[in-house]
Amino acid sequence: EADIYQTPRYLVIGTGKKITLECSQTMGHDKMYWYQQDPGMELHLIHYSYGVNSTEKGDLSSESTVSRIRTEHFPLTLESARPSHTSQYLCASSESGTGGVYGYTFGSGTRLTVV
Amino acid sequence: DAKTTQPPSMDCAEGRAANLPCNHSTISGNEYVYWYRQIHSQGPQYIIHGLKNNETNEMASLIITEDRKSSTLILPHATLRDTAVYYCIVSSYAGNMLTFGGGTRLMVKP
């Protein structure tokens, strides 16, 4: 049973629009992540957070921004969407103290299409 | 974290064992081997992990060679629902990042 929720599941939006992808988890995890994945391609880390008011950029450069004002909430924002932002965005969380990459929980993803 | 090498794709007959190999020849002493899978375009799902001993859970078995330079994930009785991309990841227990490679696309056929 997934305890991490992403909305919307699908989004089609016009170029230049501002969008926010929502991600919430009910597990009390300190660490949260955003990955980007094009169809049939690898997942790439674009943002992560180790706790409230902590955000860092990941390995893949992204024009998106994130915020972490509450432990359970880690939204991703695109100020001006472009067709190159078309992709799937996956949110994940993990518990501090367990160590390693064991125990990551992923959301179902948001499939974004910018036309 | 050490790099891993996996075959890009494999087929398996339904009901048979699926054996997915992973090479990690540069693994260091404090690094674990983790396996995740991604079904269609859903978020990846944790399967199993190990350090040097073989491990088994309700989903799969993990066999790690004595020199720890390679491992095999075994799905003992593959079903059509096991069709997915399987990722082998090597990371220290203190590591924080889940870094994905290309994985192995397993196709289970009737």
Side-chain angles (χ1 to χ4, degrees), chain A residues 28-97:
Chain A
H29 286 172
D30 288 328
K31 300 176 183 176
M32 296 189 73
Y33 315 84
W34 277 102
Y35 287 83
Q36 184 177 344
Q37 185 178 34
D38 294 334
M41 305 298 285
E42 298 179 17
L43 289 95
H44 293 283
L45 180 68
I46 53 174
H47 298 284
Y48 62 97
S49 167
Y50 287 162
V52 171
N53 295 324
S54 154
T55 61
E56 301 288 344
K57 291 189 177 294
D59 301 327
L60 181 67
S61 175
S62 173
E63 294 171 346
S64 59
T65 59
V66 293
S67 63
R68 190 86 183 276
I69 298 172
R70 303 197 316 266
T71 297
E72 63 271 21
H73 195 214
F74 192 40
L76 180 145
T77 298
L78 278 165
E79 290 292 335
S80 179
R82 296 207 301 268
S84 61
H85 297 140
T86 294
S87 190
Q88 174 163 252
Y89 295 83
L90 287 156
C91 182
S93 70
S94 67
E95 186 177 351
S96 287

Side-chain angles (χ1 to χ4, degrees), chain B residues 17-100:
Chain B
N19 297 292
L20 292 92
C22 179
N23 286 320
H24 30 79
S25 58
T26 60
I27 192 170
S28 60
N30 67 339
E31 289 183 317
Y32 284 69
V33 180
Y34 299 84
W35 284 83
Y36 277 73
R37 74 178 181 184
Q38 186 176 27
I39 296 174
H40 194 45
S41 295
Q42 298 175 23
Q45 173 191 25
Y46 165 82
I47 301 172
I48 198 167
H49 75 285
L51 182 63
K52 55 183 178 181
N53 297 322
N54 298 336
E55 301 288 345
T56 295
N57 63 19
E58 65 278 5
M59 291 181 68
S61 295
L62 174 61
I63 308 298
I64 303 174
T65 59
E66 192 169 343
D67 63 7
R68 302 207 325 121
K69 293 184 176 182
S70 66
S71 60
T72 301
L73 179 75
I74 301 172
L75 308 178
H77 305 287
T79 71
L80 298 179
R81 289 190 294 182
D82 290 323
T83 292
V85 178
Y86 287 77
Y87 298 98
C88 171
I89 300 163
V90 171
S91 178
S92 67
Y93 200 67
N96 291 303
M97 290 303 141
L98 196 58
T99 302
F100 293 89

Side-chain angles (χ1 to χ4, degrees), chain A residues 102-115:
Chain A
Y102 164 63
Y104 272 57
T105 302
F106 280 83
S108 298
T110 293
R111 190 175 296 280
L112 173 66
T113 302
V114 184
V115 298

